[in-house]
Amino acid sequence: QVQLVESGGGLVQPGGSLRLPCAASGSIVSIDAMGWYRQTPGNERELVATITSGGSANYIDSVKGRFTISRDNAKNTVYLQMNSLRPEDTAVYYCNADKVTTSFRGTYYTHNYEFWGQGTQVTVSS
């Protein structure tokens, strides 16, 4: 089994910063891509940033220059550093992992579906 656990959310003042880690656990051999998404009530979940195993990152325009995604492959962990936070950044933030390869009794399995964490609340308010 593969599990993702986010943490680091909370209440922060506008202009402040938060760092969100997400750790994947299980008999993991490799993870191709990891990402961060966010969702507010009544809205679709939107992609925020993605990063490949090689460190190539992509961001939506609204967070460019403010957010940084990174990962530690040895720890199967992805991070989202959020600076200059705005009230409109308020959302539940979810991490995901795509094309995860696991090992069981000497056999490798590459999963075609994505794994998701349970989310962590980020609130930016005065």
Side-chain angles (χ1 to χ4, degrees):
Q1 56 184 296
V2 176
Q3 292 182 313
L4 301 179
V5 180
E6 308 99 331
S7 60
L11 175 65
V12 65
Q13 298 271 48
S17 298
L18 284 174
R19 181 175 172 84
L20 308 181
C22 175
S25 62
S27 187
I28 298 171
V29 177
S30 64
I31 303 172
D32 184 14
M34 303 186 78
W36 285 95
Y37 293 70
R38 65 188 181 188
Q39 187 171 26
T40 55
N43 296 309
E44 297 284 330
R45 186 174 300 184
E46 69 170 350
L47 182 147
V48 177
T50 60
I51 186 168
T52 68
S53 61
S56 180
N58 288 291
Y59 305 88
I60 57 172
D61 288 342
S62 63
V63 308
K64 287 181 178 177
R66 300 190 299 121
F67 292 9
T68 301
I69 188 171
S70 61
R71 63 188 285 174
D72 185 335
N73 291 334
K75 297 180 179 180
N76 292 316
T77 299
V78 62
Y79 305 88
L80 187 67
Q81 177 67 48
M82 304 185 293
N83 299 325
S84 302
L85 283 162
R86 306 165 180 169
E88 52 263 42
D89 294 318
T90 296
V92 177
Y93 283 72
Y94 300 87
C95 68
N96 86 327
D98 193 21
K99 298 179 183 177
V100 180
T101 299
T102 60
S103 178
F104 181 70
R105 294 182 176 179
T107 301
Y108 289 179
Y109 301 87
T110 299
H111 304 270
N112 293 320
Y113 51 88
E114 297 179 336
F115 295 89
W116 291 89
Q118 293 300 304
T120 185
Q121 176 70 49
V122 172
T123 302
V124 185
S125 177
S126 299

